[in-house]
Amino acid sequence: DAKTTQPPSMDCAEGRAANLPCNHSTISGNEYVYWYRQIHSQGPQYIIHGLKNNETNEMASLIITEDRKSSTLILPHATLRDTAVYYCIVRVAGDYKLSFGAGTTVTVRA
Amino acid sequence: NAGVTQTPKFQVLKTGQSMTLQCAQDMNHNSMYWYRQDPGMGLRLIYYSASEGTTDKGEVPNGYNVSRLNKREFSLRLESAAPSQTSVYFCASVRGVSYNEQFFGPGTRLTVL
């Protein structure tokens, strides 16, 4: 069974914030939430990760609900170059493996 | 730094042929990975090497072998290619298990006829 559930696709207007949801209702206490993205035909790129606190870096913000059953990746000012497939991944601390689902295809429109 | 490099970029094989996909990283990372990505799907882990001298099976190891040649290089071998192995193959590396960011190569696009 998939550990995360994401909408298959979403559109976003250039310059606006993009809010990407992810459900992970069976997450365990020692599992982190990771976000990667894959721009067409390229290898995936790490964006951000978190355990229970909200996180922000130069690329995005990650908001995790208090019960940790869902999270939202926020791209504050989407650009055309943010068009990509975004993967939400749950990973146990100390586990070498990442398990990628189908992700959300985000299309940023001018 | 070149990061993670993969060769070749494209390859066409006939059923039953063998080939080796090469991956190298210049970031002094301890762990390396091989994934495959079929059209419209996410990546699936084939094999990984937690550190030099060790390799372990991932989710879809059948039909593949790997070699961690040294700390920099991790190769993936198809001994007898099948059409079901038509895919894009990505190599990745990470400094170690306590680090969070996997760095991916550009991929090898393999077609088996």
Side-chain angles (χ1 to χ4, degrees):
Chain A
D1 290 337
K3 286 193 167 186
T4 64
T5 304
Q6 299 177 252
S9 65
M10 60 182 295
D11 285 358
C12 175
E14 188 179 23
R16 305 294 294 270
N19 296 299
L20 283 63
C22 179
N23 286 322
H24 30 80
S25 59
T26 61
I27 193 169
S28 301
N30 64 345
E31 288 182 314
Y32 288 73
V33 179
Y34 285 78
W35 284 85
Y36 278 75
R37 73 179 183 183
Q38 187 175 23
I39 297 171
H40 180 64
S41 298
Q42 299 179 20
Q45 175 190 24
Y46 166 85
I47 301 173
I48 199 167
H49 77 283
L51 182 62
K52 55 183 178 181
N53 298 322
N54 298 338
E55 302 288 345
T56 296
N57 63 20
E58 65 279 4
M59 291 182 66
S61 295
L62 174 60
I63 308 298
I64 302 174
T65 58
E66 192 168 345
D67 63 6
R68 302 186 69 237
K69 292 185 177 182
S70 65
S71 60
T72 301
L73 179 74
I74 301 173
L75 308 178
H77 304 286
T79 71
L80 298 179
R81 289 178 295 179
D82 291 323
T83 291
V85 179
Y86 287 77
Y87 298 99
C88 173
I89 300 165
V90 167
R91 172 183 172 238
V92 175
D95 189 348
Y96 288 96
K97 301 182 288 293
L98 290 175
S99 295
F100 289 80
T104 296
T105 299
V106 173
T107 303
V108 180
R109 303 190 185 280
Chain B
N1 287 350
V4 179
T5 57
Q6 294 183 234
T7 55
K9 287 186 170 56
F10 300 92
Q11 184 70 49
V12 178
L13 292 177
K14 294 181 180 178
T15 297
Q17 287 184 318
S18 62
M19 79 162 295
T20 300
L21 282 64
Q22 306 287 354
C23 174
Q25 52 89 12
D26 62 1
M27 297 173 283
N28 201 35
H29 285 173
N30 289 310
S31 304
M32 298 184 73
Y33 305 78
W34 276 106
Y35 294 87
R36 62 176 287 175
Q37 185 174 32
D38 299 331
M41 298 180 65
L43 281 72
R44 291 183 293 170
L45 183 65
I46 304 171
Y47 271 94
Y48 67 100
S49 171
S51 61
E52 187 178 356
T54 69
T55 60
D56 285 285
K57 295 178 180 179
E59 183 184 355
V60 288
N62 291 344
Y64 305 95
N65 287 302
V66 291
S67 295
R68 183 75 184 268
L69 304 171
N70 47 55
K71 192 171 186 179
R72 290 187 64 248
E73 299 172 292
F74 189 37
S75 64
L76 179 72
R77 183 159 179 85
L78 288 70
E79 291 290 352
S80 179
S84 61
Q85 294 178 304
T86 293
S87 191
V88 181
Y89 291 84
F90 290 100
C91 177
S93 71
V94 67
R95 188 177 297 180
V97 68
S98 58
Y99 294 85
N100 298 299
E101 181 177 356
Q102 285 194 17
F103 293 82
F104 285 80
T108 293
R109 284 145 186 80
L110 175 67
T111 301
V112 183
L113 302 175

